[in-house]
Each structure stands twice: as structure tokens, then as C-alpha cells.
Amino acid sequence: MHLSRRAIEEAIPVGVPGSFALGHARPHESAVFVSFVGRADGCLRDALLRHVGSHYTAFYWLAAPSVEEAWRQQCVLWHEMGGPDGLLHSGGHPLPPGDLRCPRCGF
């Protein structure tokens, strides 16, 4: 999706936790080239709205039933999008809420 206030407000309910990826879409392609992975423990909509106007132009998101699941989603995205290889702007491995272990690497 195009990273805009309108797209975010139309797609994402208020107060839902979840994970997201930001990046760039090439014209006439549906793929997003991801360079940032994040999560929102409170409101996914608000977290994404903070990135409107940044250098990122596209996003996708996943709602989560809990903060713990949002973190697990973020971990999977981080691993799949090149986090371990230093390919993301979002930095190191996502930190867990509490004493959880990453489902991919046990971090």
C-alpha cells in the first residue's frame, strides 16, 4: 500500500497492536522492497502515521491479537527481510516484551 494518511486511516482500525514493514514500491509493481520492520504494542495506526512524510513510500501491516503476537510477527518479518544480514534500517533483533524467545532464532 502507498504510505499515506488516507491509506492508513482507511485500512487500519484504531487501537489494534501489530507489526509492519516499510519500504519502497516500484511503479507498476505490487512488491514492496522492505527496508524497515517495526511493531506497535498499542496502536498500529498511530505507529504508521508517524512515518507518513518520511522517505518510505509503501507499507504493509499485520494486526495481532496481543503484544506478544505482534512481537513474534515482527521477529519473523525481521528474519525474512534480511535483518540478520544487516539489510534493514530498523537495526538489530527486535526486543521482546517480557521473557519471550524469538520463534526463529531463540533470541
Side-chain angles (χ1 to χ4, degrees), residues 11 13 22 30 37 47 52 54 58 62-63 68 71 79 86-87 92 95 98:
L22 302 172
S30 61
V37 170
V52 171
S54 69
L62 297 164
E68 294 80 11
W71 175 75
H79 281 279
L87 301 177
L95 297 176

Side-chain angles (χ1 to χ4, degrees), residues 39 68 95-101:
R39 83 169 184 268
E68 294 80 11
L95 297 176
D99 295 333
L100 300 175
R101 295 282 180 201

Side-chain angles (χ1 to χ4, degrees), residues 32-96:
V32 173
F33 297 90
V34 174
S35 52
F36 185 94
V37 170
R39 83 169 184 268
D41 293 344
C43 183
L44 183 57
R45 178 191 270 197
D46 288 345
L48 282 166
L49 285 171
R50 286 192 284 278
H51 292 281
V52 171
S54 69
H55 65 280
Y56 301 113
T57 60
F59 76 101
Y60 65 87
W61 60 282
L62 297 164
S66 66
V67 171
E68 294 80 11
E69 184 58 28
W71 175 75
R72 286 185 193 96
Q73 291 171 351
Q74 182 188 20
C75 288
V76 170
L77 285 172
W78 185 82
H79 281 279
E80 289 181 1
M81 299 301 152
D85 300 321
L87 301 177
L88 298 173
H89 298 154
S90 43
H93 197 285
L95 297 176

Side-chain angles (χ1 to χ4, degrees), residues 1 3 5 10 12 15 26 29-30 36 40 45 53 57 62 64 86 95 101 106-107:
M1 296 181 108
L3 184 59
R5 176 172 289 283
E10 287 179 357
I12 304 172
R26 291 186 181 158
E29 291 185 24
S30 61
F36 185 94
R45 178 191 270 197
T57 60
L62 297 164
L95 297 176
R101 295 282 180 201
F107 173 85

